[in-house]
Amino acid sequence: AKKDAKQQKGLLAIAKKQLATREAERAKAAQELQESVAEAEETKKELEDVEAGLARESPPAATTANGFPLAPSPALSGDSTTLAAAKPLPGTPGSPSSINGLASPKSNNPFERFAAGSASRSQSPFLPLANTSIPT
């Protein structure tokens, strides 16, 4: 009987400890939730303020038929990023196009490179082997 009482007392102590740990974790999660909600509300207010500021600053942008805004003309805009984006990047030093001073129309798309490279090759790498006889 004393052994059972001691065992029950130990199990009760373990259960209390587990309960206290779970309550602390729950409180921590609730606090994180409150902080996240407050941060989300603050971010939403900032976004609304920025959008309102942009709406006051610039007139509505002209849009194309697909609904995307038209890009401003680099000649009309004094924005340095627009001017920088309109200029092509210099070639890699030492490349044939930079030595000759010619801009290469070659795409940086790896799939286009693959398609262009495969046009000069045969359809299958095994075709040359198909015409050979197998020694028996």
Side-chain angles (χ1 to χ4, degrees), residues 58-94:
S58 62
T63 57
T64 59
N66 62 5
F68 290 107
L70 288 173
S73 169
L76 300 176
S77 172
D79 188 42
S80 62
T81 56
T82 305
L83 292 173
K87 294 181 182 178
L89 292 174
T92 306

Side-chain angles (χ1 to χ4, degrees), residues 6-115:
K6 215 175 206 183
Q7 187 177 10
Q8 291 296 324
K9 191 176 179 182
L11 291 174
L12 181 63
I14 290 171
K16 283 183 180 179
K17 175 99 173 163
Q18 289 174 341
L19 178 64
T21 302
R22 293 218 171 94
E23 285 178 348
E25 289 174 357
R26 184 174 179 237
K28 184 179 177 183
Q31 181 182 0
E32 287 179 11
L33 176 65
Q34 284 180 333
E35 290 172 359
S36 297
V37 168
E39 185 179 342
E41 288 175 2
E42 183 180 323
T43 304
K44 185 178 177 182
K45 287 178 185 177
E46 284 181 29
L47 177 64
E48 290 171 354
D49 290 345
V50 169
E51 286 177 346
L54 287 175
R56 278 185 260 127
E57 274 183 28
S58 62
T63 57
T64 59
N66 62 5
F68 290 107
L70 288 173
S73 169
L76 300 176
S77 172
D79 188 42
S80 62
T81 56
T82 305
L83 292 173
K87 294 181 182 178
L89 292 174
T92 306
S95 70
S97 64
S98 66
I99 294 172
N100 298 338
L102 300 173
S104 173
K106 193 172 189 180
S107 171
N108 285 334
N109 186 337
F111 295 107
E112 288 179 13
R113 288 186 195 159
F114 177 73

